[in-house]
Amino acid sequence: MVLSLRHSGQVLRVRTSSTCECDGRFTQEKNLFSRGAEWLITHYGISRRQAYRYLQEAQTARGPVPVPEAKRVFTVKLSVGLIRQVRQQARREGGTISQWVEAALRRSLNLRQGHG
């Protein structure tokens, strides 16, 4: 079995190793997931839980599954009013605060790069 994942424009293929016929399919899949998860954790700095989610999604996907960049906590101090506005806007747009802030920062950085 080959699972395809996409990261930073590259398609990664995670393959199973041949296992003993008597081990059965469950052992083979468990082996694949374990090795594949460890590889994703090591190379992309994602959590074990997220690595398993990507591998599970890749099993049923018709094409490569995107693997986003690893994320870290980034704490900033903002006024209570601004925090309230960010929460309300994220809720209105149906996403998380992190998704909204990331999109806003990317837009701002792209605008600055275009004018610099």
Side-chain angles (χ1 to χ4, degrees):
M1 180 190 326
V2 177
L3 302 179
S4 295
L5 305 163
R6 181 180 298 280
H7 182 73
S8 300
Q10 297 177 348
V11 175
L12 313 165
R13 298 199 190 319
V14 182
R15 298 180 188 276
T16 63
S17 62
S18 56
T19 58
C20 174
E21 293 270 336
C22 61
D23 286 344
R25 185 174 168 85
F26 176 76
T27 303
Q28 186 176 10
E29 287 181 5
K30 184 178 171 190
N31 215 11
L32 164 69
F33 269 57
S34 180
R35 288 185 311 107
E38 289 303 322
W39 190 86
L40 289 169
I41 291 163
T42 301
H43 285 82
Y44 296 103
I46 60 177
S47 70
R48 180 172 304 281
R49 176 180 284 172
Q50 194 61 51
Y52 276 92
R53 285 183 187 148
Y54 289 134
L55 291 171
Q56 287 171 340
E57 186 178 344
Q59 277 191 308
T60 58
R62 295 189 186 272
V65 174
V67 178
E69 290 182 60
K71 297 190 178 191
R72 301 283 185 259
V73 173
F74 180 70
T75 305
V76 296
K77 291 184 179 185
L78 302 171
S79 69
V80 174
L82 182 57
I83 292 169
R84 187 180 313 108
Q85 288 177 322
V86 168
R87 284 183 175 147
Q88 290 171 349
Q89 190 62 33
R91 206 174 297 129
R92 271 194 293 271
E93 293 180 16
T96 65
I97 293 169
S98 291
Q99 290 168 332
W100 189 88
V101 170
E102 181 178 351
L105 289 171
R106 288 187 186 281
R107 281 192 305 271
S108 178
L109 292 170
N110 285 337
L111 286 174
R112 290 175 194 249
Q113 288 174 356
H115 294 297

